[in-house]
């Protein structure tokens, strides 16, 4: 899964002049692939991994979890669970064509908007980025 993402690094770097970290986890939220561009922030390593894990553990984009975790929201304080979650954009679940969660991707190192764009591109390479509606989802 990570090879096509690496091929996109040079183009993305030229377009945005940024360095990023990309993490891919399996359906159990175990790290399966990781790439760090030269000179990417060291702090982005942990953020990318946690974005991928967060998206996988809850089957939704990290930005959506962030909206739900605002004060007075139904998930307020969730970022303190599971050894720390990331609740801003850049993490997306990856599902197959049958709607089964197969993993997630997390991206960090640029603006959250750019992180989300790269995560979406990676999720689309590996699978489908949106989970089907489930009655248990918020």
């Amino acid at each position: 899964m990570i090879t096509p993402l690496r091929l996109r690094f040079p183009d993305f770097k030229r377009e945005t002049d940024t360095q990023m970290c990309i993490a891919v986890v399996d359906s159990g939220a175990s790290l399966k692939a990781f790439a760090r561009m030269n000179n990417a922030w060291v702090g982005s390593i942990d953020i990318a991994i946690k974005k991928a894990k967060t998206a996988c553990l809850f089957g939704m984009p990290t930005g959506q979890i962030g909206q739900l975790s605002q004060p007075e929201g139904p998930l307020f304080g969730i970022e303190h669970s599971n050894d720390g979650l990331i609740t801003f954009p850049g993490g997306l679940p990856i599902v197959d064509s049958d709607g089964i969660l197969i993993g997630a991707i997390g991206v960090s190192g640029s603006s959250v908007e750019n992180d989300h764009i790269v995560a979406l591109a990676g999720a689309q390479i590996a699978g489908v980025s949106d989970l089907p509606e489930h009655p248990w989802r918020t």
Side-chain angles (χ1 to χ4, degrees):
M1 267 195 281
I2 201 70
T3 303
L5 298 174
R6 279 194 164 158
L7 295 176
R8 292 176 177 234
F9 270 170
D11 291 337
F12 187 80
K13 185 179 183 327
R14 275 194 296 274
E15 292 171 15
T16 64
D17 193 31
T18 190
Q19 295 80 29
M20 307 185 94
C21 294
I22 298 178
V24 178
V25 299
D26 64 14
S27 61
S30 295
L31 186 64
K32 291 297 176 184
F34 181 83
R36 176 178 177 246
M37 293 175 69
N38 291 339
N39 300 316
W41 290 323
V42 174
S44 291
I45 295 168
D46 186 56
I47 294 171
I49 293 168
K50 285 184 177 175
K51 283 182 180 183
K53 287 183 177 184
T54 300
C56 184
L57 290 172
F58 295 96
M60 66 178 75
T62 54
Q64 183 180 359
I65 295 170
Q67 292 169 354
L68 295 168
S69 65
Q70 296 302 306
E72 307 302 322
L75 300 181
F76 181 65
I78 195 170
E79 65 275 9
H80 303 292
S81 70
N82 295 285
D83 293 323
L85 303 175
I86 300 293
T87 58
F88 46 87
L92 293 172
I94 301 171
V95 300
D96 66 15
S97 59
D98 294 322
I100 305 297
L101 179 73
I102 59 172
I105 184 169
V107 178
S108 181
S110 185
S111 67
V112 292
E113 294 83 10
N114 284 343
D115 291 354
H116 178 77
I117 290 167
V118 173
L120 185 59
Q124 289 172 341
I125 290 169
V128 181
S129 62
D130 292 324
L131 286 170
E133 289 297 319
H134 292 288
W136 52 265
R137 294 191 56 202
T138 305

